[in-house]
Every structure is written in C-alpha cells, then in structure tokens.
Amino acid sequence: MRWLGAALALGVWLWAHPVLAAPAHQLCRLDALDECVEGLSPQWRGILQRLWPGPLAVSVKTALAGQGGVTLLTDTDALILLDPQSLKRPHLVLLDKQLIERPPLRTFRTTYYHELGHVATRNSPWLQRLARPNWPQHWPEEVLADLYLFWTQLREGASMDALWQQVHLRNLGLIQARPDWTHWTTPLLVPLLCQPEALKAYSQRPLEQFLDATLGPQSAPPLAQYRLLGERQFALTTPGIAQPYLASAHRGHWAAMLQLTLDWLGVDSATYLQHHHLPYHDDICQVLR
C-alpha cells in the first residue's frame, strides 16, 4: 500500500544480502515496536499522530490496520511498516460454499520487497500511463510495486513458481465478499510469467528499463469487463444469471488468469469453471500471450 514516507536508516538489515540498490527508507517492524517508536523522526511522529491520533505505538498499529505491510510516503521520505506476525496467517477462502485453508503465500521478504517497490517507483512515468478512469486510484502503484518485487526476485535467482505466488495472492484478494481490485495486478503479471526467458532477461536491466520492457508491449486490459465478471462470480448473493454476457475473449482470459490459482487451492478447476460457464484451458499461456 502506498501513501506518504521517511528516509532514515534503521541500522539493522534483515538478511545477510539485502536487496541491491534499495531506495532510502526507514523500516518499522511491529515485532520491534519499542525500537521503532524510539527511532522515529519528529517529522514522522507528527505525521503518524496527525493521521492516527493517540499514543505513537497505537498510531503505528492503526496505520497498519491488520495488513502485513504499509508504505507511507512524503515528497522526499519513506516509512515502511511491517507486521511479520500477520504474514504467518493461513489463507481462508470461501469458494462456492466450500471453506478452504491454505498456507500463507506472503513472506517477510516478498512483502518487504513489494513495499520497497512503492518507494523505488514513486516517480515513474508509468504511474500516469497505467491510470485508468473508473478504476481504483492506487492500482498503478500496486502494479509497479509487484513488478519491482519480480525484478528483485529474479535478480536473486528466484524460480517462476515463486513469482506465481504473487499472482495467487492477488487472485485470492478477489475471492471474498468485497473483492480487492486495487491490488489485482494479475492482468499485467500473468502475460509476463508466460514468457519466462524474456522476463529473466529483462530483469538484468535497470529498474525503469525493466518496467519499459515489461509494460511497453502490453495492451490495456479490459479491467471493467473483468470486474463485472468477478463481482458476479465471487459475490455472496446469487446473481440472477450465471454470468453476464461478455465477449468470449474476455471470459476466456478471465478464466485463464484464475485457473492456476484454483489449482493451487486444490479445486478441480475444470469442474469449477464449467459450473460458472467459463472455459477451461489446457494451456493458459496460449490464451494470454
């Protein structure tokens, strides 16, 4: 999540090999709250207590609001708040009246890299290029933060399976009573994962060139049509019709973007998609490339 920020050094790195060229920021962990509060600058103390009045420790917890990570940005500074404990919660998914429990997809490392992405891409021209009318305001920020995550993961030698976990996380955000469209970066991530060798090659470029290479060739996804499908499919109320009428290409792409996540959930994706009048694909990348 992206909002404000502060550029102080915490003084303690989380790993022996931190991400290369990490943008300047202060990191505040909820499991080291006393140290965090003590080290906050007067500027950040004022910002936190102005936005979330109360004792400073309470302000930090309120800012996180139960999320794993939040990034606050000012014009020049960044403050990343992380709650390691919340990242250990399993995913509970209600899908067609079946409650499914799966292990957590988020890790401290990947969540931290995503939050760093908000800092690193705060001035990217892609923020304006990706903006869409009638779509969540901060969706472009989430797209760029997820691509920064991919960029750092690939530079560390991560597998494609590791990158797919972020897609599953974004798809799971839709399978709830109030779908999370702000973080639904799947339409731009999946086509890239269908070209793994090209994506690996792009990751060796500087960040902005990586963004140009990954986003430049992609056409704008039909987000409004996908939203119509998603709100009908995952709403708790039974719709009057099984699915709204939309062009077969939209429905085919929608199903392909969900299919591997359904597999990860342990669902019989062919049967599930058929039940929702959606096509099953033997090769999703053939559809999405």
Side-chain angles (χ1 to χ4, degrees):
M1 184 176 284
R2 178 185 189 275
W3 305 338
L4 319 168
L8 305 173
L10 182 63
V12 177
W13 278 105
L14 298 164
W15 313 288
H17 304 289
V19 62
L20 296 175
H25 65 288
Q26 180 176 3
L27 173 63
C28 181
R29 296 174 53 143
L30 206 58
D31 59 351
L33 189 54
D34 291 342
E35 294 89 333
C36 160
V37 169
E38 185 178 342
L40 285 172
S41 68
Q43 177 195 25
W44 274 109
R45 288 171 178 264
I47 289 173
L48 286 166
Q49 294 192 304
R50 186 167 66 251
L51 293 175
W52 299 281
L56 197 54
V58 175
S59 299
V60 172
K61 291 180 181 179
T62 306
L64 271 163
Q67 301 172 90
V70 167
T71 299
L72 308 177
L73 299 172
T74 65
D75 290 339
T76 57
D77 300 323
L79 173 64
I80 295 177
L81 309 177
L82 291 173
D83 181 5
Q85 193 60 37
S86 74
L87 301 175
K88 299 176 182 178
R89 298 190 199 118
H91 298 286
L92 294 175
V93 179
L94 183 62
L95 189 66
D96 283 1
K97 300 181 180 179
Q98 178 186 1
L99 185 63
I100 302 169
E101 181 175 343
R102 296 286 282 130
L105 287 164
R106 296 184 299 173
T107 67
F108 193 97
R109 194 180 189 89
T110 58
T111 303
Y112 179 47
Y113 283 173
H114 171 87
E115 298 305 329
L116 276 177
H118 287 305
V119 187
T121 61
R122 64 195 301 172
N123 297 315
S124 173
W126 281 104
L127 290 174
Q128 292 300 320
R129 296 176 195 170
L130 290 173
R132 298 288 180 267
N134 304 315
W135 198 251
Q137 178 184 0
H138 294 297
W139 182 73
E141 284 94 327
E142 300 303 334
V143 170
L144 297 189
D146 276 351
L147 287 176
Y148 180 89
L149 169 62
F150 278 13
W151 183 68
T152 53
Q153 284 180 301
L154 289 168
R155 284 176 161 237
E156 291 184 344
S159 67
M160 286 295 120
D161 286 345
L163 273 61
W164 270 103
Q165 291 186 7
Q166 194 70 5
V167 172
H168 298 330
L169 182 64
R170 296 318 183 202
N171 285 343
L172 293 184
L174 298 187
I175 307 174
Q176 49 189 320
R178 299 182 63 181
D180 178 6
W181 296 102
T182 300
H183 289 82
W184 193 58
T185 56
T186 297
L188 295 180
L189 297 188
V190 172
L192 298 175
L193 294 177
C194 284
Q195 306 173 62
E197 295 309 315
L199 186 59
K200 290 175 185 176
Y202 297 154
S203 72
Q204 301 309 306
R205 303 178 184 182
L207 177 60
E208 203 60 40
Q209 292 180 26
F210 172 76
L211 297 177
D212 291 342
T214 53
L215 293 172
Q218 296 205 49
S219 57
L223 298 174
Q225 288 84 351
Y226 292 151
R227 186 166 192 164
L228 184 57
L229 284 163
E231 289 180 344
R232 285 295 188 95
Q233 186 169 332
F234 300 126
L236 291 179
T237 55
T238 304
I241 54 176
Q243 286 288 349
Y245 175 79
L246 287 174
S248 60
H250 296 327
R251 295 160 67 87
H253 289 174
W254 168 258
M257 289 188 292
L258 297 176
Q259 191 169 308
L260 294 187
T261 300
L262 295 171
D263 293 339
W264 181 81
L265 285 170
V267 172
D268 182 338
S269 54
T271 301
Y272 172 87
L273 292 171
Q274 182 182 25
H275 175 71
H276 287 276
H277 308 280
L278 293 167
Y280 174 86
H281 303 285
D282 292 324
D283 182 354
I284 67 161
C285 287
Q286 190 173 18
V287 178
L288 294 170
R289 278 196 188 97

